[in-house]
Amino acid sequence: MSLDAYMTEVNSNVALFNQHVKITVEGLTARGHTTDDIMIGLFKGYMAASDREFVRYIKDYKNKYDDDEDITWEQLMTKALNKYTVLKQ
């Protein structure tokens, strides 16, 4: 299942989404595999969320990433979860 489809399946719950991604990456790593397109998948997944303000926030990070700003997938996931948490309060 693609990450954007998974975001829809978990009703835009970024915490559950991030947990799924971490488990998937850990599973790949345990089997000696890597993924080169994790950032692409994360951005697609986050932009499938239903909260417009959250999506706008992610789009800003996507633009920075596209302009070669150095951000890891772990950092992106942390920033996304923090924003999601603030918006849900």
Side-chain angles (χ1 to χ4, degrees), residues 28-42:
L28 286 169
T29 302
R31 292 189 299 275
H33 298 282
T34 61
T35 177
D36 295 330
D37 59 353
I38 184 87
M39 292 296 280
I40 294 167
L42 283 174

Side-chain angles (χ1 to χ4, degrees), residues 3 6 11 15 17-18 22 24 26 28 38 40 44 46-47 49 54 69-72 74:
L3 290 178
Y6 189 78
N11 297 315
F17 176 86
N18 281 1
K22 285 179 184 177
T24 301
E26 287 170 2
L28 286 169
I38 184 87
I40 294 167
K44 281 183 68 176
Y46 290 139
M47 286 193 273
F54 177 80
E69 184 171 310
D70 192 26
I71 183 170
T72 67
E74 294 98 335

Side-chain angles (χ1 to χ4, degrees), residues 1-20:
M1 173 181 295
S2 66
L3 290 178
D4 51 330
Y6 189 78
M7 179 63 83
T8 302
E9 183 175 306
V10 296
N11 297 315
S12 299
N13 184 319
V14 174
L16 292 176
F17 176 86
N18 281 1
Q19 181 180 21
H20 171 75

Side-chain angles (χ1 to χ4, degrees), residues 18-87:
N18 281 1
Q19 181 180 21
H20 171 75
V21 171
K22 285 179 184 177
I23 289 169
T24 301
V25 169
E26 287 170 2
L28 286 169
T29 302
R31 292 189 299 275
H33 298 282
T34 61
T35 177
D36 295 330
D37 59 353
I38 184 87
M39 292 296 280
I40 294 167
L42 283 174
F43 282 121
K44 281 183 68 176
Y46 290 139
M47 286 193 273
S50 60
D51 186 295
R52 288 183 188 179
E53 187 174 342
F54 177 80
V55 171
R56 191 171 23 253
Y57 177 81
I58 294 299
K59 282 183 181 179
D60 286 343
Y61 268 96
K62 172 100 170 62
N63 289 335
K64 291 175 185 179
Y65 178 76
D66 289 345
D67 288 337
D68 295 324
E69 184 171 310
D70 192 26
I71 183 170
T72 67
W73 64 270
E74 294 98 335
Q75 290 170 327
L76 179 60
M77 289 177 67
T78 299
K79 290 180 182 302
L81 182 59
N82 291 343
K83 185 65 171 182
Y84 171 77
T85 302
V86 167
L87 290 172

